[in-house]
Amino acid sequence: MEPKQEKPSFWEKLATLIVDKRNFFFLAFTIAAVFCAISSGWVRTNDDITTYLPEDTETRQGLDIMDTEFTTYATARVMVSNIPLDQALELADRLEQIHGVTSVDFYDPDNDSSVLSDYYHNSAALFTITFAGETEDAVSAKAMEGIRENLQGYDFYISSEVGNSINDVLGKEMQIVMIIAVIIIITVLLLTSKTYMEVPVLLITFGVAALLNKGTNFLMGEISFVTNSIAVVLQLALAVDYAIILCHRYTEEREFREPREACIAALSKSIPEIAGSSLTTISGLIAMMFMQFRLGYDMGIVLVKAILLSLITVFTLMPGLLMVFSKGIDKTHHRNFVPRVTVLGKWAVKTRYIVPPVFAVVLVACFIFSNNCPYVYGQSTLSTFKQNEAQIADAKVNKTFGSTNSMALLVPSGDYAREKALLTDLAELEHVESVTGLSNVEIKDGYVLTDQLTPRQMSELMDIDYSLVTLLYASYAADQESYGQIVSGLEDYSVPLIDMFFYLYDMKETGYLSLDGDLSKTLDDLYAQLTDAKAQLSSDDYSRIVLNLDLPEESQETFDYLQVLHQTAEQYYDTVYIVGNSTSDYDLSTSFVSDNLLISILSALFVLVVLVFTFRSAGLPVLLILVIEGSIWINFSFPYLMQQNMFFMSYLVVTSIQMGANIDYAIVISSRYLELRGRMNAKEAIVEALNQAFPTILTSGTMLASAGILISLLSSNPVVASIGECLGRGTIISIILVLGVLPQILVLGDLLIEKTAFVIKPRLSTRTASGNLAVHGHVRGYVNGLVDADIHGIIQGTVSAMVDTGVIDKQPSGETEQLEENEVISHEA
């Protein structure tokens, strides 16, 4: 009686459909790739990290008000070295004549309040230039070109956001990172692959997945410059395992099956395995999306999408590529370049009572160190290995003339007297170098823009006939419906200077007032200046006061001083907003406390749930998380021990990635160990588990670590470089712990793992039978008789048989004998 054939499983049916319909998937991916190549140009990037602050923070609310109520003209600090003072004065005049430049602030010998050392020091001149447009306006960019042309031949440095796009700089840097990363990936794949022609399959799969993710980012509406710059590199590093698993499955199945059947079998087995492996990575990234600081959501959603698109590409495109390249794969097999790590396994067995206690001590120490990590929330105290032109200029200018810490204070508008009183109080505060508001901008003869002037004072200031000014004041009073002033007399009627200027200009423009040519031109020039001043300092609802402090951008003293400014302003106004880099850093520091706790709990919890269902055990997931959590604590102990500032976002992002992705290395070893433990003792199982898992960990770990290190070395952006540095270092630490600490923990905790398993495997009794036997399943014991079967496993003893095809790998030395077809062999195993 023939044995009953088993029905194909769901995964086998799905795999058959994908393999047989591969031409459809080729067409679909070709169309999608072409579309994404075009749509990748539609992606809008945001280089302002403050826009991701929570909506209820002071900085976010203040920035929203400033964006809608005020115009912020672009500025530049230009330092010219080795220039005589007289040439610097001439250069200042030339720079002010450039179209698009509204003013150049430099030393004025005729102004007693102008301090030479503020503008000229050690033969270096500092020009503060204000543009006619905002940072992204074309007029500002054109003016910057003119400034550079005028400075040709000088030793100059320009510190400005104009013409210094973060996206452009990062884009060029990431292109270099990608080129080097691809070279490293190809090298690693060539060394760890089983056949050379599987490398093109992997590269095509990676490339298509990356293109699909980049081309669909426009669906997000807008993504941050951080996400845009590192998403592709992280996608390749995080998702590389999926394609490698399927490829290795295929080469294994190909030894016994035709290409189509091998591909179906490999895919049906790989889909559940890869999907399960991806869950830990996805769960770690999802944890980032719960952060209050919405940059975490921005990165999390894009990277989750990247993982899902990588899975879809591996499951639907790669099988067809394996079929296309099957002949090349068959012909380009090469020897295994990855060494066996039996020595490491034996060392793990010998040190199983030593390493875990030492690790426990290190764990406690690093927990304390990492909790004292010197986190920072701005970029002013961060440094990068690579410096771009703008960073070099900033450093030169700040070293020679000192840095500036500017901030804006927003208060309700409409009461010039109250605003002037506040400006006076602020100017008297310690640490306030300068304060500028509409109510203290001087124009002429000691008058400020908001001073109340009578008709006589206005006549003298503007040099206009008194009777004409009186008529103008009467017209203004009627326009304001202040008829009592007209009746009682206008001699003592006072009007804010800025309001009268605008009214005077309106009367001239409408033809009700006629002025001679010189006076009309003076009024036009003054109107342009006043319009610019009002656009920057006053709106219908708010007044903006600009402060310059002598405090660093980020320090506890600066954060405390923000409360002093609040208390001073709140003596005059109920509603006060302070906006600047210092307030942004302060708001980020307050959100970090809750985000840190949230990320730590959620990432560990999500991964724990996945591991519990994967291993059906309560003890093993805890051990794995303990190892990876240890790698995180060790990773962030380095900044504390090296006294190196750490950008807070690096911790949140890398913690999620380490917990979600690096734990895959621990899963690989643990899975192999549990599988082998069913037929070996714990010592033998851990040695063989390390040998089997090492190539996978080496491949994936090398790529992720290399990607992080490349980003840290080749990116000049402190935020991106910091994330790369922590990711590279964290991955290396995770690999070391997974290979050097986890095996000892598994052997030592073997009983704990067995006792905490949800499903306890019954001990199998030995069965003895004789005759013509059909055996299906894993067999451990002794066989005496003729064997006619496909055997995959280890035989301890003597083999004397005809082998159709295959190899015998003598354990443990690794010597391999290739058996020719129908060769009779006798081999001592």
Side-chain angles (χ1 to χ4, degrees), residues 566-631:
H566 262 290
Q567 292 168 5
T568 303
E570 287 168 358
Q571 295 176 14
Y572 298 92
Y573 298 95
D574 294 330
T575 303
V576 176
Y577 297 100
I578 300 178
V579 183
N581 289 337
S582 294
T583 57
S584 172
D585 297 346
Y586 176 75
D587 287 338
L588 289 172
S589 69
T590 55
S591 68
F592 172 68
V593 176
S594 57
D595 281 344
N596 183 18
L597 182 62
L598 185 69
I599 290 295
S600 300
I601 293 175
L602 288 183
S603 58
L605 182 62
F606 289 164
V607 172
L608 180 63
V609 171
V610 173
L611 294 179
V612 166
F613 281 97
T614 300
F615 291 108
R616 298 181 182 180
S617 168
L620 182 58
V622 173
L623 296 178
L624 299 187
I625 287 182
L626 191 63
V627 171
I628 298 302
E629 193 67 59
S631 72

Side-chain angles (χ1 to χ4, degrees), residues 430-706:
E430 185 184 8
H431 301 304
V432 175
E433 292 185 328
S434 65
V435 56
T436 303
L438 203 62
S439 296
N440 72 347
V441 176
E442 293 189 12
I443 56 167
K444 187 179 180 183
D445 298 337
Y447 289 114
V448 298
L449 286 176
T450 57
D451 280 346
Q452 304 263 355
L453 270 66
T454 63
R456 176 66 63 185
Q457 292 170 320
M458 178 64 75
S459 173
E460 294 173 354
L461 178 65
M462 293 297 296
D463 195 22
I464 304 177
D465 182 72
Y466 176 71
S467 59
L468 183 60
V469 173
T470 303
L471 290 175
L472 183 66
Y473 266 65
S475 175
Y476 181 85
D479 184 70
Q480 300 296 313
E481 298 182 356
S482 300
Y483 302 110
Q485 289 290 343
I486 301 175
V487 174
S488 62
L490 296 171
E491 293 81 1
D492 297 327
Y493 181 38
S494 60
V495 178
L497 179 58
I498 188 171
D499 294 346
M500 185 52 69
F501 267 129
F502 284 119
Y503 186 74
L504 178 62
Y505 182 82
D506 290 340
M507 295 293 287
K508 181 184 81 72
E509 290 297 299
T510 54
Y512 291 108
L513 179 66
S514 179
L515 301 174
D516 60 55
D518 291 341
L519 187 57
S520 178
K521 185 177 184 305
T522 301
L523 186 61
D524 288 343
D525 293 341
L526 191 57
Y527 175 79
Q529 296 177 28
L530 292 178
T531 301
D532 286 347
K534 189 168 185 180
Q536 296 180 79
L537 299 175
S538 181
S539 71
D540 292 339
D541 299 316
Y542 288 93
S543 290
R544 178 163 64 174
I545 297 171
V546 180
L547 300 162
N548 284 317
L549 308 182
D550 63 3
L551 294 171
E553 177 186 311
E554 182 177 355
S555 70
Q556 190 57 49
E557 183 183 9
T558 304
F559 292 163
D560 293 339
Y561 193 75
L562 295 176
Q563 301 306 314
V564 175
L565 295 177
H566 262 290
Q567 292 168 5
T568 303
E570 287 168 358
Q571 295 176 14
Y572 298 92
Y573 298 95
D574 294 330
T575 303
V576 176
Y577 297 100
I578 300 178
V579 183
N581 289 337
S582 294
T583 57
S584 172
D585 297 346
Y586 176 75
D587 287 338
L588 289 172
S589 69
T590 55
S591 68
F592 172 68
V593 176
S594 57
D595 281 344
N596 183 18
L597 182 62
L598 185 69
I599 290 295
S600 300
I601 293 175
L602 288 183
S603 58
L605 182 62
F606 289 164
V607 172
L608 180 63
V609 171
V610 173
L611 294 179
V612 166
F613 281 97
T614 300
F615 291 108
R616 298 181 182 180
S617 168
L620 182 58
V622 173
L623 296 178
L624 299 187
I625 287 182
L626 191 63
V627 171
I628 298 302
E629 193 67 59
S631 72
I632 293 173
W633 293 337
I634 295 173
N635 187 15
F636 290 97
S637 294
F638 277 81
Y640 169 78
L641 297 173
M642 299 170 64
Q643 288 301 297
Q644 177 184 357
N645 288 337
M646 170 61 57
F647 188 62
F648 80 104
M649 193 65 194
S650 304
Y651 176 82
L652 297 176
V653 172
V654 175
T655 295
S656 299
I657 292 177
Q658 273 195 262
M659 183 57 71
N662 290 168
I663 202 167
D664 284 347
Y665 311 153
I667 293 174
V668 171
I669 290 181
S670 302
S671 299
R672 298 282 186 177
Y673 173 75
L674 292 181
E675 180 183 344
L676 293 168
R677 186 66 182 89
R679 59 180 184 270
M680 299 179 182
N681 61 46
K683 298 177 183 179
E684 295 173 341
I686 199 63
V687 172
E688 185 59 26
L690 282 172
N691 279 323
Q692 294 182 12
F694 181 69
T696 301
I697 296 173
L698 178 66
T699 304
S700 178
T702 301
M703 292 182 185
L704 187 56
S706 300

Side-chain angles (χ1 to χ4, degrees), residues 13 58 76 94 209 265 305 333 343 389 429 480 495 500 551 595 598 652 717 740 816:
K13 292 179 181 178
E58 181 181 22
R94 290 210 313 270
K305 177 167 65 70
H333 280 274
V343 174
E389 181 182 347
L429 288 176
Q480 300 296 313
V495 178
M500 185 52 69
L551 294 171
D595 281 344
L598 185 69
L652 297 176
N717 184 273
T816 302

